[in-house]
Each structure stands twice: as C-alpha cells, then as structure tokens.
Amino acid sequence: MTASLEQLRRCHFAVDLGAARTRVYVKGAGLVVDQPSAAAVNTRTGALIAVGEFAEKMTGRTPDYIRVVRPVSGGTVVDIEMAQRMLRHLLGDKIRRNLRRKPRLRAAACTPHDADPLAQRAAIETLVGLGARRVELVDTLIAAAVGCGLPVERAEATMIMVCGAAATQVAVLSLGSIVTAERIPVGGEAVDHAIVQHLRHEHELMLPSQSVRPLQLALSGNGLTSQGPASTEIHGRDVATGLARSVQVDTAAVRDAIETPLTAVLDGIGRVLRNCPPDLVADLADRGIMMVGGSALLPGLDQMLRHATGMPVHIAERPDVCAVQGLGYMLEGRIEPLSLDPLAT
C-alpha cells in the first residue's frame, strides 16, 4: 500500500477498476456504482452509446459500426480516455456535481499487486481526468483484506486470495503489510474459456457470448465436486451447420477441462506458502484462506482448495465488493492505524 491511512481519510471517493466490473465508493454515500466495465461506441462518429450493464448486453448483438470495448484488462487501464468517459457516465451528473464542489478533490484507487509504474500512472491519469487533484493508490490485496474484516493490523498471519476475472492474487499479510504475495495470470475468464473450448472440441458446440455464464450452466449443483450432477444440458450453436442444438454434457469431463487453469492457481498458493516464514504458516493452518473476488463464487472451488491444501477455506460474505468496501472503510476512518513507535532508550 503506497498511501497511509491519514492520506486516505482525506480522500472523497474511491474507485475499483476491475476487468469485469467497475465500482465507485463515495465518502458519506457508500457504494454508488457497481457496473460491468464495458462501453459501446459508434465507430463512425466516435459517440458513446451505452456503458455498464446495457453495453454488456450488447456484446455480440451489434451491427458492424458499433463496438463494445473494455477499457480495463487485468486490473490495468489500457484505454485511459475510454475509461474516463465510461466513469463519467456511470457516476452521472448529480454525483459528479457533488464531487466537483469539494475543495482539492482527492481520490483513491485499487491497483493489482506489483503493478508496474505505467499501470499505476494509467490509474492516476484516469481519475485526474475526472477532476481529482490527488490520487492515492492502494494494493488490491490490502483493500480486499480490510473489506472482508481480516485483522491485517495484528502480528499474526492472514492469507487472502483475490479471484478476479483476468488474474488471481494470493498473499500472506501480517502487521498491516504484505509478507509474501503471488499474482497468477489465471482468473474466471480462463476457466470460462477452458469450458467453451471443451464444448467446441468434444461436442462441436459454440456457446453464444451473451449466454448465461458457462460455469453456471455446466457446473450447477455442487459444481467442481464429484457429488454434483452427472450431466447437464447446454444449448448452443452447431459448429458445422450453424443451427441451434442442445447436448448433454458430462460434468466430470468439464471438471477435467478446467483442471489446467486451476492447477496454476494451486501452484501459486504453494509458492506463497514456501516463501512464507514458518511461524506464519503455523498461524495459517488454523485460520486458513479467505477467498474474495467475483470468481470466488465458482461452484465448488472452495472445496477443491480445501482438499488440495488441507487448510480451512472461507468465502467472504460479499466477495465481489470486498476491495472497494475496504477502500470505503479507510476513507470513512473506520480502520485504526497500527502504531509502531520506537522504544525510548
């Protein structure tokens, strides 16, 4: 975390720009924006047609001159101008007017662990374009841990796993800081892609891009566990004929298909534990892993991690909003700073 709690308390709003969703917390008002990170643009005129949920619904359903873009990829802003335009429309005129009245408007933003200077600069410039005079950056791992109520300020280990759309971040925290962390470039999108490819190769079926999430279709019930349903029906388009078709999919085969991306996540957890001091690992044997992020809701993922690591695994009460909620707690002054004053000699 690059910003102190005292600096964060002076901020007026906080933004969590994720690859899947954008969330904005305004001091005193709470969470005011929770929308998909998508925008629909008319390529002929450059006009912005829709943002958020409406733009998400337009994916795969637009004529050639309308393009649905995602200005954020892997927690990093890849199109600053489009991200600014999207945020302006998501906030709305009323909230933006209220923010502009603040003297020396300050903002806070989440950044992925070990984000490079260019990624940090992109996040800062995005919020400066909204009128912020100063932008404080907070590591997503710290913000999410605070948001889900972990005692990060104590001299004991807590392990958090942020399951995002494009990446998974795992860290061990103690005394308000990150002891060791790993960022794995595998998230919910990689698991979705593995299922889509399995259906294409094994059943010659293409899923529509705007269908219900493949995971929710293929992994209903107990999901990744063997106690789930033996098969499930999925509707899609036949690769050869282009006609609509339904197939019965063996969920055991689906579990095998997504084993590769999930194995990468397990390897990342192993590396974090190997780099962690033994005393902290002993703490984690009792407390286990806290899962946050939208992809933490993947059915059966917590049970799979519990079986693979032998540690308790918990899912936060509202895993998808933990990061922005943690920023909100810091803005509102609900977190007391840890005092490590030197002893008098």
Side-chain angles (χ1 to χ4, degrees):
M1 182 168 61
T2 57
S4 68
L5 284 173
E6 189 59 39
Q7 290 172 321
L8 289 170
R9 283 178 182 152
R10 297 175 190 159
C11 293
H12 302 99
F13 72 104
V15 178
D16 177 17
L17 278 167
R21 298 185 75 87
T22 293
R23 299 176 177 93
V24 180
Y25 186 103
V26 175
K27 193 172 186 177
L31 187 64
V32 297
V33 172
D34 185 1
Q35 296 276 343
S37 303
V41 184
N42 186 327
T43 56
R44 294 174 180 172
T45 64
L48 198 62
I49 297 172
V51 295
E53 288 183 359
F54 190 31
E56 181 89 352
K57 291 177 181 177
M58 295 170 68
T59 304
R61 300 173 182 270
T62 61
D64 292 340
Y65 64 91
I66 295 178
R67 189 164 58 99
V68 177
V69 297
R70 296 184 175 275
V72 184
S73 175
T76 301
V77 178
V78 293
D79 188 337
I80 295 174
E81 181 185 357
M82 187 55 65
Q84 291 173 350
R85 295 174 68 184
M86 181 184 73
L87 276 171
R88 287 192 194 102
H89 283 80
L90 289 176
L91 285 170
D93 293 336
K94 183 178 179 182
I95 296 175
R96 285 167 52 209
R97 279 197 303 268
N98 290 337
L99 290 175
R100 280 200 296 264
R101 293 193 187 108
K102 308 288 185 183
R104 290 193 59 82
L105 182 64
R106 291 172 175 249
C110 286
T111 55
H113 179 68
D114 284 344
D116 58 63
L118 284 177
Q120 295 179 1
R121 187 65 190 171
I124 291 172
E125 288 188 13
T126 299
L127 298 187
V128 167
L130 294 177
R133 301 289 296 277
R134 183 180 174 90
V135 179
E136 309 292 352
L137 299 180
V138 181
D139 196 304
T140 301
L141 292 164
I142 297 287
V146 170
C148 65
L150 290 179
V152 294
E153 74 282 356
R154 298 181 188 172
E156 57 191 40
T158 54
M159 190 170 189
I160 189 163
M161 178 174 167
V162 180
C163 308
T168 300
Q169 302 174 70
V170 185
V172 175
L173 311 175
S174 181
L175 290 174
S177 300
I178 296 173
V179 178
T180 179
E182 188 84 20
R183 188 167 184 262
I184 308 125
V186 172
E189 291 175 354
V191 178
D192 284 353
H193 181 71
I195 293 177
V196 170
Q197 290 302 309
H198 168 76
L199 294 174
R200 183 184 179 95
H201 294 313
E202 297 297 324
H203 300 277
E204 295 185 348
L205 192 77
M206 289 184 65
L207 286 182
S209 60
Q210 215 31 48
S211 66
V212 180
R213 281 195 68 188
L215 297 174
Q216 306 306 321
L217 287 169
L219 300 176
S220 56
N222 292 319
L224 299 179
T225 62
S226 56
Q227 291 79 24
S231 64
T232 186
E233 186 177 24
I234 292 186
H235 309 280
R237 190 185 76 184
D238 190 281
V239 172
T241 65
L243 300 176
R245 185 163 65 92
S246 300
V247 295
Q248 284 289 333
V249 177
D250 181 12
T251 53
V254 174
R255 286 197 296 272
D256 293 338
I258 64 176
E259 186 175 335
T260 299
L262 293 181
T263 299
V265 174
L266 290 175
D267 291 344
I269 294 175
R271 287 193 296 271
V272 168
L273 292 174
R274 285 194 295 272
N275 294 331
C276 190
D279 290 346
L280 295 182
V281 175
D283 290 345
L284 296 174
D286 296 329
R287 297 184 181 87
I289 306 171
M290 178 65 76
M291 294 174 61
V292 302
S295 298
L297 299 173
L298 171 63
L301 177 58
D302 56 331
Q303 297 180 41
M304 191 202 74
L305 291 176
R306 197 176 294 120
H307 176 74
T309 62
M311 297 165 58
V313 178
H314 316 281
I315 300 178
E317 185 175 350
R318 292 192 63 193
D320 51 336
V321 297
C322 281
V324 73
Q325 203 70 52
L327 285 178
Y329 291 160
M330 296 177 195
L331 264 61
E332 304 282 4
R334 299 185 194 177
I335 307 299
E336 291 298 325
L338 177 69
S339 178
L340 288 175
D341 296 328
L343 298 175
T345 56

